[in-house]
Amino acid sequence: MCCDATCADPAFACTTGYTARSNQASITCGPTPSSCTNAVCCDATCVNGGWPGCGAGYIPKTNIATITCGPTSGSCSNGVCCDATCANTGFRCPTGYTAKSNQNSIRCGASAGSCSAALCCDATCDNSLFTCGTGYVAKAAQASIVCGPSPASCTATACCDATCNNALFSCPLGWQAKSSNSLILCGATSASCTTNLCCSPTLCGVDQRVLNHACVACPPGSTNVPNDDASGVDTNCDPTLCGANQYVSSHLCKPCAAGSTNMASDDATGPDTFCDTTLCGTNERVQNHACVPCLAGSTNTAGDAATGPDTACDLVLCGINEKVVNHVCTSCPAGSTNGPNDNAAGVDTYCDAIVCPANQRVVSNVCTGCPPGTTNTAGDLATGPDTTCDSIICGANQRVVNNACAQCPIGSTNAAGDQASGPDTGCDPVLCGVNQRVLNNACAACPPGTVNGANDRADGADTLCDAILCAANQ
């Protein structure tokens, strides 16, 4: 009647899932111990049947049985009673990590925020803190390859495949790495790389040859087509043979200088060669380093060098009694003449017919003097047929003397018609008649009282008449 029971009354005990409050001795239940209840005297623990237990991703704390939640089971929670595990949905392994196989049993702490990659995850080969070295490439399944607790556990052997550009592999002499060798997978190690897989035969370029499995330049003056295989035997270059009108200079074929020539096939691998100067022939001249014929009617001696400056031909000047016919000096036709220096490079010229003077005739196209005792008027053309002279006919009282008509001596006469081209002729003396005498080569009458017989020659000396002597008695 005088006292109230407290929660510490021996007749009261907290049921399973509850634990006495620390101040239970001062908690009054009521008049009897039966008035005490879990709600008044006890706090619920994490093993209280009214709490459903740790949620997914949590496990009971190791001291769960002694953990007080609060006055009721409703006060229990994952945060009070449980530890978060690595399997908690509030935690995910970052890229480059994968959950450990025992993640459900790995305690992080009171919450998922306590979980870390170091605690909950194993590093995988795709971890950003690991890279395959040069000459390696990540395996296709790298995201699923577990290295160990940290990226430092990742190795090229575990995570990578060797590629053909691996430093431990090199192509042999005469081979070269394929352009895609960084993408060509050999296998787990560089020992898996092979020449055929990783290398291509080295193909030499234009004007290269193979020497000891290396491509080397052709010797000066030689050439080669591309694609000699350096993985094979040594090859050779072909000597460059210069073409016609080329010469070798420092192992190069160069064109001959204008006006010079050279035969084909000079070997450019050999010493320098030279072109021959073109020498123009007779009646040729140099024009733009070429030999060209002289213009018609001009000439030139042989030997002009076509490598030099232009030269000229000399004009042909015709000689005396020559004319130009188609730029050639041609002798005048018989019976014609021409002065010198007609220019054979010019137009055709002509000769002048020879006109015979008086007392000449044409004989074989030559003006020839008439034979003695003949004559001819001027004007016969020597280019024509032969002509003749006319005989000189002596007049009355003329005679022929040395093919000329000469006057008969005084006291003589001759009939006209003697031809001077014939032999000499003579005149007939004048014979005086009866009773005439010769006086100064003429017949004169005898003086009166004189007489003379006939036939005194008047071409002689004077004659006299005889005086008439009278007879006796006369």
Side-chain angles (χ1 to χ4, degrees):
M1 294 287 290
C2 296
C3 300
D4 284 326
T6 64
C7 291
D9 191 292
F12 174 75
C14 293
T15 62
T16 300
Y18 290 88
T19 187
R21 291 177 179 167
S22 60
N23 60 344
Q24 64 179 344
S26 62
I27 299 172
T28 300
C29 300
T32 63
S34 60
S35 303
C36 292
T37 64
N38 288 335
V40 173
C41 299
C42 305
D43 283 326
T45 66
C46 290
V47 293
N48 191 286
W51 180 62
C54 294
Y58 292 88
I59 58 174
K61 291 185 176 181
T62 55
N63 60 340
I64 189 172
T66 62
I67 297 173
T68 301
C69 299
T72 67
S73 63
S75 304
C76 293
S77 65
N78 288 334
V80 173
C81 300
C82 307
D83 285 328
T85 67
C86 292
N88 194 285
T89 58
F91 171 76
R92 292 288 183 270
C93 290
T95 301
Y97 292 86
T98 188
K100 290 185 177 180
S101 58
N102 61 340
Q103 60 177 346
N104 288 329
S105 62
I106 299 174
R107 299 174 185 272
C108 298
S111 67
S114 304
C115 294
S116 66
L119 180 65
C120 299
C121 309
D122 283 328
T124 60
C125 289
D126 65 341
N127 194 285
S128 61
L129 298 178
F130 170 78
T131 57
C132 293
T134 301
Y136 292 88
V137 67
K139 290 183 177 180
Q142 61 175 350
S144 63
I145 299 174
V146 177
C147 300
S150 70
S153 306
C154 294
T155 64
T157 301
C159 299
C160 309
D161 285 326
T163 63
C164 288
N165 68 337
N166 195 285
L168 298 178
F169 172 78
S170 61
C171 293
L173 291 176
W175 297 77
Q176 60 184 356
K178 292 180 178 178
S179 58
S180 59
N181 65 353
S182 62
L183 303 177
I184 300 174
L185 300 180
C186 298
T189 66
S190 60
S192 305
C193 294
T194 64
T195 298
N196 288 333
L197 177 66
C198 299
C199 308
S200 299
T202 298
L203 299 180
C204 298
V206 175
D207 297 337
Q208 290 186 323
R209 63 186 175 115
V210 177
L211 180 63
N212 295 327
H213 300 294
C215 292
V216 299
C218 287
S222 61
T223 61
N224 198 16
V225 295
N227 298 329
D228 280 7
D229 187 343
S231 67
V233 297
D234 288 355
T235 59
N236 296 303
C237 297
D238 299 317
T240 297
L241 299 180
C242 298
N245 299 327
Q246 290 185 325
Y247 70 104
V248 177
S249 177
S250 299
H251 303 294
L252 296 176
C253 292
K254 294 186 176 181
C256 290
S260 61
T261 60
N262 195 21
M263 299 288 288
S265 300
D266 281 5
D267 188 342
T269 60
D272 287 356
T273 60
F274 303 93
C275 297
D276 299 317
T277 298
T278 299
L279 299 178
C280 296
T282 301
N283 296 331
E284 290 185 327
R285 63 189 173 99
V286 177
Q287 180 176 322
N288 294 328
H289 303 294
C291 293
V292 298
C294 289
L295 293 175
S298 60
T299 63
N300 197 18
T301 56
D304 284 3
T307 54
D310 288 357
T311 59
C313 296
D314 299 319
L315 294 177
V316 174
L317 298 179
C318 297
I320 192 168
N321 295 330
E322 289 184 326
K323 63 174 179 171
V324 177
V325 177
N326 294 328
H327 305 291
V328 176
C329 290
T330 306
S331 295
C332 287
S336 61
T337 185
N338 195 18
N341 299 327
D342 281 4
N343 183 355
V347 297
D348 285 359
T349 59
Y350 302 91
C351 297
D352 300 316
I354 297 173
V355 179
C356 296
N359 297 322
Q360 287 191 334
R361 58 179 175 147
V362 177
V363 178
S364 299
N365 303 112
V366 176
C367 288
T368 306
C370 286
T374 60
T375 187
N376 197 17
T377 57
D380 285 1
L381 297 179
T383 55
D386 288 355
T387 59
T388 59
C389 296
D390 300 320
S391 291
I392 297 172
I393 304 300
C394 295
N397 298 322
Q398 290 184 325
R399 60 178 176 147
V400 176
V401 178
N402 294 325
N403 300 114
C405 290
Q407 288 296 320
C408 285
I410 296 173
S412 60
T413 62
N414 194 23
D418 285 358
Q419 294 189 7
S421 59
D424 288 353
T425 61
C427 293
D428 298 321
V430 175
L431 298 177
C432 295
V434 174
N435 295 326
Q436 289 184 324
R437 59 178 178 138
V438 175
L439 178 62
N440 295 323
N441 300 112
C443 289
C446 286
T450 62
V451 295
N452 195 21
N455 297 324
D456 281 358
R457 293 173 60 110
D459 59 347
D462 287 352
T463 61
L464 299 172
C465 292
D466 296 323
I468 299 174
L469 298 177
C470 291
N473 298 317
Q474 289 182 328

